[in-house]
Short mmCIF file of all heavy atoms in Angstrom, two decimals:
data_model
loop_
_atom_site.label_atom_id
_atom_site.label_comp_id
_atom_site.label_asym_id
_atom_site.label_seq_id
_atom_site.Cartn_x
_atom_site.Cartn_y
_atom_site.Cartn_z
N GLU A 210 -1.25 -8.12 11.40
CA GLU A 210 -1.61 -9.03 12.49
C GLU A 210 -2.50 -8.27 13.46
O GLU A 210 -2.01 -7.39 14.18
CB GLU A 210 -0.35 -9.55 13.19
CG GLU A 210 0.51 -10.44 12.31
CD GLU A 210 1.75 -10.97 13.04
OE1 GLU A 210 1.98 -10.55 14.20
OE2 GLU A 210 2.47 -11.80 12.46
N GLY A 211 -3.78 -8.59 13.45
CA GLY A 211 -4.72 -7.87 14.31
C GLY A 211 -4.79 -6.41 13.92
O GLY A 211 -5.12 -6.08 12.78
N ASP A 212 -4.46 -5.53 14.85
CA ASP A 212 -4.50 -4.10 14.57
C ASP A 212 -3.11 -3.53 14.30
O ASP A 212 -2.90 -2.32 14.37
CB ASP A 212 -5.17 -3.34 15.73
CG ASP A 212 -4.41 -3.50 17.05
OD1 ASP A 212 -3.45 -4.31 17.08
OD2 ASP A 212 -4.78 -2.84 18.03
N ARG A 213 -2.15 -4.41 13.99
CA ARG A 213 -0.77 -3.98 13.75
C ARG A 213 -0.32 -4.33 12.34
O ARG A 213 -0.59 -5.42 11.84
CB ARG A 213 0.19 -4.63 14.75
CG ARG A 213 -0.01 -4.21 16.18
CD ARG A 213 0.96 -4.95 17.09
NE ARG A 213 2.36 -4.74 16.70
CZ ARG A 213 3.16 -5.72 16.29
NH1 ARG A 213 2.71 -6.97 16.19
NH2 ARG A 213 4.42 -5.45 15.96
N VAL A 214 0.37 -3.39 11.72
CA VAL A 214 1.04 -3.66 10.45
C VAL A 214 2.47 -4.03 10.80
O VAL A 214 3.22 -3.22 11.33
CB VAL A 214 1.00 -2.44 9.52
CG1 VAL A 214 1.68 -2.78 8.18
CG2 VAL A 214 -0.44 -1.99 9.28
N VAL A 215 2.85 -5.27 10.50
CA VAL A 215 4.12 -5.80 10.99
C VAL A 215 5.28 -5.50 10.03
O VAL A 215 6.38 -5.16 10.47
CB VAL A 215 4.00 -7.32 11.21
CG1 VAL A 215 5.33 -7.91 11.67
CG2 VAL A 215 2.90 -7.62 12.23
N GLU A 216 5.03 -5.63 8.73
CA GLU A 216 6.11 -5.44 7.76
C GLU A 216 5.51 -5.26 6.37
O GLU A 216 4.30 -5.35 6.18
CB GLU A 216 7.06 -6.65 7.75
CG GLU A 216 6.37 -7.96 7.35
CD GLU A 216 7.35 -9.12 7.23
OE1 GLU A 216 8.54 -8.88 6.89
OE2 GLU A 216 6.91 -10.27 7.45
N GLY A 217 6.38 -5.00 5.41
CA GLY A 217 5.95 -4.93 4.02
C GLY A 217 6.34 -3.63 3.34
O GLY A 217 6.78 -2.66 3.98
N LEU A 218 6.20 -3.64 2.01
CA LEU A 218 6.58 -2.48 1.21
C LEU A 218 5.80 -1.24 1.59
O LEU A 218 6.36 -0.15 1.67
CB LEU A 218 6.37 -2.80 -0.27
CG LEU A 218 6.60 -1.64 -1.25
CD1 LEU A 218 8.04 -1.15 -1.18
CD2 LEU A 218 6.23 -2.05 -2.67
N HIS A 219 4.49 -1.37 1.83
CA HIS A 219 3.69 -0.19 2.15
C HIS A 219 4.17 0.47 3.44
O HIS A 219 4.22 1.70 3.53
CB HIS A 219 2.21 -0.57 2.26
CG HIS A 219 1.59 -0.95 0.96
ND1 HIS A 219 0.29 -1.37 0.85
CD2 HIS A 219 2.10 -0.98 -0.30
CE1 HIS A 219 0.02 -1.63 -0.43
NE2 HIS A 219 1.11 -1.40 -1.13
N LEU A 220 4.51 -0.34 4.43
CA LEU A 220 5.01 0.21 5.70
C LEU A 220 6.36 0.89 5.49
O LEU A 220 6.59 2.01 5.97
CB LEU A 220 5.12 -0.90 6.74
CG LEU A 220 5.58 -0.49 8.14
CD1 LEU A 220 4.61 0.51 8.76
CD2 LEU A 220 5.73 -1.72 9.03
N ASP A 221 7.27 0.24 4.76
CA ASP A 221 8.58 0.82 4.51
C ASP A 221 8.47 2.13 3.73
O ASP A 221 9.16 3.11 4.02
CB ASP A 221 9.45 -0.16 3.71
CG ASP A 221 9.86 -1.38 4.53
OD1 ASP A 221 9.67 -1.35 5.75
OD2 ASP A 221 10.36 -2.34 3.94
N LEU A 222 7.59 2.13 2.74
CA LEU A 222 7.39 3.32 1.93
C LEU A 222 6.81 4.46 2.76
O LEU A 222 7.26 5.62 2.68
CB LEU A 222 6.46 2.99 0.76
CG LEU A 222 6.20 4.08 -0.27
CD1 LEU A 222 7.49 4.49 -0.95
CD2 LEU A 222 5.18 3.59 -1.31
N GLY A 223 5.83 4.15 3.59
CA GLY A 223 5.24 5.17 4.46
C GLY A 223 6.26 5.76 5.41
O GLY A 223 6.30 6.98 5.63
N ARG A 224 7.09 4.92 5.99
CA ARG A 224 8.12 5.41 6.92
C ARG A 224 9.12 6.31 6.21
O ARG A 224 9.55 7.34 6.76
CB ARG A 224 8.84 4.23 7.57
CG ARG A 224 8.02 3.53 8.65
CD ARG A 224 8.70 2.27 9.12
NE ARG A 224 8.01 1.69 10.29
CZ ARG A 224 8.23 0.47 10.74
NH1 ARG A 224 9.11 -0.32 10.12
NH2 ARG A 224 7.58 0.01 11.79
N ALA A 225 9.51 5.91 5.00
CA ALA A 225 10.48 6.72 4.25
C ALA A 225 9.91 8.09 3.91
O ALA A 225 10.60 9.10 4.03
CB ALA A 225 10.89 5.98 2.98
N LEU A 226 8.65 8.13 3.49
CA LEU A 226 8.02 9.41 3.16
C LEU A 226 7.83 10.27 4.41
O LEU A 226 8.09 11.48 4.40
CB LEU A 226 6.67 9.18 2.47
CG LEU A 226 6.75 8.61 1.05
CD1 LEU A 226 5.35 8.26 0.55
CD2 LEU A 226 7.42 9.60 0.10
N ALA A 227 7.38 9.65 5.50
CA ALA A 227 7.16 10.40 6.74
C ALA A 227 8.47 10.99 7.24
O ALA A 227 8.51 12.15 7.70
CB ALA A 227 6.56 9.48 7.80
N ARG A 228 9.54 10.24 7.15
CA ARG A 228 10.85 10.75 7.59
C ARG A 228 11.25 11.97 6.79
O ARG A 228 11.73 12.96 7.34
CB ARG A 228 11.90 9.65 7.44
CG ARG A 228 13.26 10.04 8.00
CD ARG A 228 14.31 8.97 7.75
NE ARG A 228 14.67 8.87 6.34
CZ ARG A 228 14.35 7.86 5.55
NH1 ARG A 228 13.64 6.84 6.00
NH2 ARG A 228 14.73 7.87 4.28
N ARG A 229 11.03 11.92 5.49
CA ARG A 229 11.38 13.06 4.64
C ARG A 229 10.46 14.26 4.88
O ARG A 229 10.83 15.39 4.56
CB ARG A 229 11.35 12.64 3.16
CG ARG A 229 12.47 11.68 2.80
CD ARG A 229 12.35 11.13 1.39
NE ARG A 229 13.43 10.20 1.09
CZ ARG A 229 14.60 10.53 0.58
NH1 ARG A 229 14.85 11.80 0.28
NH2 ARG A 229 15.53 9.61 0.36
N LEU A 230 9.29 14.00 5.43
CA LEU A 230 8.35 15.08 5.74
C LEU A 230 8.49 15.55 7.18
O LEU A 230 7.73 16.41 7.64
CB LEU A 230 6.92 14.60 5.47
CG LEU A 230 6.57 14.40 3.99
CD1 LEU A 230 5.32 13.52 3.85
CD2 LEU A 230 6.34 15.74 3.30
N GLY A 231 9.46 14.98 7.91
CA GLY A 231 9.70 15.40 9.29
C GLY A 231 8.64 14.97 10.27
O GLY A 231 8.38 15.67 11.25
N ARG A 232 8.05 13.80 10.02
CA ARG A 232 6.96 13.32 10.87
C ARG A 232 7.16 11.86 11.25
O ARG A 232 7.85 11.11 10.56
CB ARG A 232 5.60 13.49 10.18
CG ARG A 232 5.25 14.95 9.91
CD ARG A 232 3.99 15.09 9.08
NE ARG A 232 3.77 16.49 8.76
CZ ARG A 232 3.07 17.33 9.51
NH1 ARG A 232 2.52 16.89 10.62
NH2 ARG A 232 2.92 18.59 9.16
N GLU A 233 6.52 11.47 12.34
CA GLU A 233 6.43 10.06 12.69
C GLU A 233 5.32 9.43 11.85
O GLU A 233 4.40 10.11 11.39
CB GLU A 233 6.12 9.90 14.17
CG GLU A 233 7.21 10.39 15.10
CD GLU A 233 8.48 9.58 14.98
OE1 GLU A 233 8.38 8.34 14.81
OE2 GLU A 233 9.57 10.18 15.03
N LEU A 234 5.40 8.12 11.67
CA LEU A 234 4.37 7.41 10.91
C LEU A 234 3.56 6.53 11.84
O LEU A 234 4.11 5.84 12.71
CB LEU A 234 4.99 6.53 9.82
CG LEU A 234 3.94 5.83 8.94
CD1 LEU A 234 3.40 6.77 7.88
CD2 LEU A 234 4.49 4.56 8.31
N VAL A 235 2.24 6.55 11.65
CA VAL A 235 1.34 5.62 12.30
C VAL A 235 0.66 4.82 11.19
O VAL A 235 0.03 5.41 10.30
CB VAL A 235 0.28 6.34 13.16
CG1 VAL A 235 -0.75 5.34 13.68
CG2 VAL A 235 0.94 7.08 14.31
N ALA A 236 0.82 3.51 11.19
CA ALA A 236 0.19 2.65 10.18
C ALA A 236 -1.11 2.10 10.75
O ALA A 236 -1.12 1.48 11.82
CB ALA A 236 1.13 1.51 9.80
N LYS A 237 -2.20 2.33 10.05
CA LYS A 237 -3.53 1.97 10.55
C LYS A 237 -4.21 0.99 9.58
O LYS A 237 -4.55 1.36 8.47
CB LYS A 237 -4.38 3.23 10.70
CG LYS A 237 -5.78 2.97 11.24
CD LYS A 237 -6.53 4.28 11.43
CE LYS A 237 -7.92 4.05 11.98
NZ LYS A 237 -8.65 5.32 12.18
N PRO A 238 -4.43 -0.26 9.99
CA PRO A 238 -5.12 -1.21 9.12
C PRO A 238 -6.61 -0.88 9.02
O PRO A 238 -7.26 -0.58 10.03
CB PRO A 238 -4.92 -2.56 9.83
CG PRO A 238 -3.84 -2.34 10.85
CD PRO A 238 -3.95 -0.90 11.23
N VAL A 239 -7.12 -0.93 7.79
CA VAL A 239 -8.54 -0.65 7.51
C VAL A 239 -9.02 -1.66 6.47
O VAL A 239 -8.30 -1.93 5.51
CB VAL A 239 -8.72 0.80 6.98
CG1 VAL A 239 -10.16 1.04 6.56
CG2 VAL A 239 -8.31 1.82 8.02
N PRO A 240 -10.22 -2.22 6.63
CA PRO A 240 -10.74 -3.14 5.61
C PRO A 240 -10.82 -2.47 4.24
O PRO A 240 -11.11 -1.28 4.14
CB PRO A 240 -12.14 -3.49 6.13
CG PRO A 240 -12.06 -3.26 7.60
CD PRO A 240 -11.12 -2.11 7.79
N ARG A 241 -10.55 -3.26 3.20
CA ARG A 241 -10.49 -2.72 1.85
C ARG A 241 -11.76 -1.94 1.49
O ARG A 241 -11.68 -0.87 0.87
CB ARG A 241 -10.28 -3.85 0.84
CG ARG A 241 -10.16 -3.35 -0.60
CD ARG A 241 -10.04 -4.52 -1.57
NE ARG A 241 -8.90 -5.34 -1.21
CZ ARG A 241 -8.86 -6.66 -1.37
NH1 ARG A 241 -9.89 -7.31 -1.87
NH2 ARG A 241 -7.78 -7.34 -1.04
N LYS A 242 -12.91 -2.44 1.88
CA LYS A 242 -14.17 -1.77 1.51
C LYS A 242 -14.30 -0.40 2.15
O LYS A 242 -15.08 0.43 1.67
CB LYS A 242 -15.36 -2.65 1.91
CG LYS A 242 -15.53 -3.90 1.07
CD LYS A 242 -16.77 -4.66 1.48
CE LYS A 242 -16.98 -5.89 0.60
NZ LYS A 242 -18.19 -6.65 1.00
N ARG A 243 -13.54 -0.13 3.22
CA ARG A 243 -13.65 1.14 3.93
C ARG A 243 -12.50 2.08 3.64
O ARG A 243 -12.45 3.19 4.20
CB ARG A 243 -13.73 0.90 5.44
CG ARG A 243 -15.01 0.27 5.94
CD ARG A 243 -15.19 0.47 7.45
NE ARG A 243 -15.22 1.89 7.79
CZ ARG A 243 -14.25 2.52 8.47
NH1 ARG A 243 -13.17 1.89 8.88
NH2 ARG A 243 -14.36 3.81 8.76
N LEU A 244 -11.56 1.70 2.79
CA LEU A 244 -10.38 2.54 2.57
C LEU A 244 -10.74 3.94 2.09
O LEU A 244 -10.28 4.94 2.64
CB LEU A 244 -9.44 1.87 1.57
CG LEU A 244 -8.54 0.75 2.11
CD1 LEU A 244 -7.77 0.12 0.96
CD2 LEU A 244 -7.58 1.28 3.17
N ALA A 245 -11.57 4.01 1.04
CA ALA A 245 -11.93 5.31 0.48
C ALA A 245 -12.70 6.15 1.51
O ALA A 245 -12.43 7.35 1.68
CB ALA A 245 -12.75 5.13 -0.79
#
Side-chain angles (χ1 to χ4, degrees):
E210 294 180 355
D212 61 353
R213 294 178 57 243
V214 182
V215 178
E216 61 175 330
L218 174 62
H219 291 178
L220 182 61
D221 290 348
L222 184 62
R224 284 172 172 167
L226 290 173
R228 185 184 70 250
R229 290 173 181 271
L230 290 162
R232 297 173 185 270
E233 295 294 322
L234 184 80
V235 173
K237 181 177 180 179
V239 174
R241 181 183 303 147
K242 289 183 178 179
R243 290 198 59 249
L244 280 175

